[in-house]
Amino acid sequence: MYNLLSLPNELTTQVIEELDLTDTWSFARTSKEIYNLSQSAMQRHQEYKEKYSIIGLGLPVWDDDGNDDGTTFDEGHPLFFIEQILRDPRIACYVTDLRLSRCGTEPRKRLFQGKDFGKQRERLATIITAVGTELAALGANCPWLNESRRLHWQEALLAHPNQAHYAALLLTLLPNLRSLAMKGMCYDCEPISELVEAIGKANRDRSSAVHESALSKLRSISIDHWENEFGQDITVYTPFVPLPSLRLLHGRRICGESDPDEAPSALVDGDIRPLRQSQVDEIEITCSSVASKAWRSLLKPIKNLKKFTYEHVGAVVGLEYYECLAIMAILREYACHSLEHLDLTCMREYCEHEQYVGDLKAFYNLRVLRLHAAAFCSYDEDKEITDRKYLRLADLLPASIEAVTLISWFDRDGAIDFLGEVAEERDKLPKLKRICLEGDWNDPWDYIGSCNNVGIEIIESELAFRHPYY
């Protein structure tokens, strides 16, 4: 009876070369002979993993002073990396982190920031000529698009060396992609949205011929706009939200004022699943200005949101007014049963009157909280913030709370008194272990002893800003 070790070494080596990294390591451990034959393959796997696990495509993001922000984009235009994959398909399996920069639908001369625009276009034309047949096949046979859209994509891939179509196509070629970051995005990234939406529908339909054949492992999406004015519209997340594998939405300089009745298009019109089936459990949007009605559109399909972070900065990105009460009402509607971490702030001075959040007892799983101290002031539009009364935290927080961070721009009379009240009514907040006072506060030392006696630690810290304007 023959066994694997009876095969010629050359044939066994060919078998090993066809295995991925995980299978190669497992196979190598079966015997000393196999281990020795696997050394070359394991070395190649390691080299490919180090070189291709994180890929930056596009052009460097420049700040207002003309400096690169430090992110490395070695591959340049997405087509350059697609060419590498077409020549060596094994590369695609190693990419787990893809970072796209300025991938809009039109290549603009100003985006090259001093690079030879003519040479870039000449290189793109050369690549299209060299691998045009393969590109045409990718567009013509794209299983997520209907026939008319395939024809459009085929023409776009061959006639217009724009970044967005190639970036979208690249997403279908990376089977192990887990993290996608789009930085300095242009406003026009419709090709990415179109293809991702179609992939999302296929991934939710187990009967689909292309079920989980692309983006099936994507866990996080990050959008970082970095333009001089305004921000990236929050609807850019819409096609990604329905992806079954997605867990984290991250963004900076995001704006949004979408219609409250709008739902993500990938979740309506004959879709096979109920609306609220998104598996996203964490949202972190900072240095942004998003209207409450836009938040409703984004949160509506999410089933079990556990962490919500939003930092409002006002008109420098988009919407001036901070709709804190309305945002809290939406969170109560869609996430009161699951939310464990809430960080909701407006980092503009003289905005205390917009911070009130109301009673939080409905969030019965809430463990970590970060709010402005004025969030617990009695709400009265006719009164100045200095004339409002601070409410008792023990009467507003759920019994599940473990850590609270309160922000204060200015010393306010009575703002620190809640520490004594929390210590006196410890039984209402049995799990509370830490209170962090961030920013400017009156001396809390009179209350530290009483809080420590009941097992509550008091911490003071500097005001933490997440955006570049302060």
Side-chain angles (χ1 to χ4, degrees):
M1 181 177 180
Y2 292 97
N3 58 41
L4 187 62
L5 294 178
S6 66
L7 295 175
N9 288 345
E10 293 79 5
L11 187 57
T12 305
T13 301
Q14 290 183 23
V15 172
I16 295 172
E17 288 293 332
E18 296 298 321
L19 302 177
D20 61 21
L21 177 59
T22 302
D23 290 339
T24 301
W25 278 105
S26 299
F27 190 39
R29 296 171 63 184
T30 58
S31 73
K32 183 176 181 179
E33 291 82 356
I34 297 297
Y35 179 82
N36 291 332
L37 292 174
S38 302
Q39 289 303 301
S40 176
M42 288 192 293
Q43 182 178 357
R44 174 179 58 80
H45 281 309
Q46 190 62 34
E47 291 175 354
Y48 273 39
K49 183 178 179 180
E50 293 176 358
K51 183 175 182 180
Y52 296 113
S53 61
I54 301 176
I55 295 296
L57 302 174
L59 297 159
V61 177
W62 302 77
D63 60 25
D64 294 337
D65 297 325
N67 301 313
D68 192 332
D69 77 336
T71 304
T72 301
F73 296 92
D74 295 330
E75 305 299 333
H77 196 286
L79 180 56
F80 301 161
F81 191 60
I82 290 177
E83 180 195 24
Q84 293 187 49
I85 292 177
L86 292 175
R87 298 188 184 283
D88 186 357
R90 296 176 298 181
I91 291 174
C93 296
Y94 293 89
V95 182
T96 59
D97 187 339
L98 179 62
R99 303 172 185 180
L100 303 175
S101 173
R102 295 189 181 275
C103 291
T105 56
E106 291 296 333
R108 302 174 185 175
K109 186 172 183 179
R110 68 177 181 85
L111 298 184
F112 285 91
Q113 295 286 349
K115 294 184 178 182
D116 192 318
F117 185 74
K119 288 184 178 180
Q120 293 281 345
R121 295 298 296 269
E122 182 179 344
R123 182 182 175 188
L124 292 173
T126 301
I127 293 175
I128 290 176
T129 301
V131 297
T133 302
E134 292 90 335
L135 287 175
L138 288 174
N141 300 320
C142 186
W144 298 278
L145 301 175
N146 59 38
E147 187 174 350
S148 62
R149 296 306 298 165
R150 290 177 189 175
L151 180 61
H152 168 79
W153 273 69
Q154 183 179 5
E155 295 174 350
L157 292 172
L158 295 177
H160 306 289
N162 59 68
Q163 296 187 64
H165 280 89
Y166 291 111
L169 180 63
L170 181 60
L171 296 180
T172 69
L173 303 177
L174 307 176
N176 295 316
L177 184 65
R178 288 173 171 80
S179 175
L180 174 63
M182 298 191 289
K183 196 167 188 177
M185 293 297 294
C186 299
Y187 295 95
D188 44 357
C189 50
E190 288 86 356
I192 296 176
S193 298
E194 177 187 7
L195 198 53
V196 170
E197 180 175 331
I199 292 172
K201 287 184 177 181
N203 286 358
R204 295 190 307 279
D205 184 359
R206 295 184 181 276
S207 64
S208 172
V210 287
H211 174 66
E212 294 191 345
S213 58
L215 298 182
S216 62
K217 298 181 180 179
L218 185 66
R219 301 280 297 183
S220 68
I221 171 71
S222 177
I223 310 292
D224 199 344
H225 188 62
W226 285 99
E227 286 287 346
N228 292 329
E229 296 180 357
F230 306 109
Q232 185 72 45
D233 194 278
I234 198 169
T235 55
V236 73
Y237 294 105
T238 297
F240 291 94
V241 169
L243 292 172
S245 61
L246 195 68
R247 296 295 182 271
L248 169 64
L249 303 180
H250 177 274
R252 284 170 56 88
R253 295 180 66 86
I254 305 298
C255 64
E257 298 183 48
S258 62
D259 188 278
D261 294 326
E262 288 181 0
S265 56
L267 296 176
V268 295
D269 297 334
D271 199 0
I272 62 165
R273 277 196 170 191
L275 182 63
R276 299 198 62 196
Q277 288 296 318
S278 172
Q279 300 300 314
V280 172
D281 58 21
E282 181 176 351
I283 295 176
E284 182 177 346
I285 305 293
T286 61
C287 188
S288 301
S289 298
V290 181
S292 59
K293 56 188 179 181
W295 277 120
R296 178 179 294 276
S297 296
L298 185 67
L299 293 174
K300 191 173 184 179
I302 297 177
K303 184 178 180 181
N304 290 305
L305 182 65
K306 294 182 178 179
K307 183 176 181 180
F308 181 80
T309 300
Y310 174 51
E311 178 192 71
H312 185 88
V313 295
V316 292
V317 174
L319 183 71
E320 171 66 24
Y321 185 62
Y322 177 45
E323 300 176 309
C324 184
L325 267 177
I327 294 173
M328 287 303 304
I330 295 169
L331 287 173
R332 286 187 183 91
E333 181 178 356
Y334 294 118
C336 68
H337 65 289
S338 59
L339 196 65
E340 298 177 1
H341 186 125
L342 175 62
D343 185 341
L344 190 61
T345 56
C346 179
M347 302 308 285
R348 295 187 292 116
E349 293 189 45
Y350 310 107
C351 62
E352 288 95 333
H353 63 285
E354 302 174 355
Q355 303 275 1
Y356 180 70
V357 297
D359 192 339
L360 298 178
K361 287 186 177 295
F363 298 92
Y364 50 84
N365 285 317
L366 189 64
R367 298 186 297 107
V368 180
L369 180 66
R370 182 175 181 266
L371 295 170
H372 195 285
F376 299 104
C377 277
S378 57
Y379 185 70
D380 190 339
E381 293 182 348
D382 297 328
K383 289 186 178 181
E384 295 293 333
I385 186 67
T386 52
D387 297 327
R388 298 181 194 173
K389 179 183 178 181
Y390 281 86
L391 304 174
R392 298 165 64 87
L393 262 66
D395 296 333
L396 298 174
L397 299 181
S400 59
I401 201 74
E402 298 176 7
V404 176
T405 297
L406 296 177
I407 304 167
S408 179
W409 288 94
F410 311 104
D411 292 337
R412 297 296 189 195
D413 294 337
I416 203 68
D417 294 341
F418 71 85
L419 292 179
E421 297 167 356
V422 168
E424 293 172 1
E425 301 189 45
R426 177 66 161 133
D427 58 319
K428 291 186 177 182
L429 302 172
K431 296 184 179 181
L432 183 61
K433 295 180 175 63
R434 184 177 69 253
I435 296 177
C436 179
L437 304 177
E438 187 178 309
D440 296 326
W441 288 87
N442 289 322
D443 191 354
W445 294 105
D446 294 341
Y447 300 100
I448 287 181
S450 59
C451 287
N452 288 340
N453 290 337
V454 295
I456 300 176
E457 180 185 12
I458 306 300
I459 301 173
E460 292 185 273
S461 69
E462 298 293 329
L463 195 62
F465 293 106
R466 297 193 185 91
H467 56 86
Y469 299 109
Y470 298 93

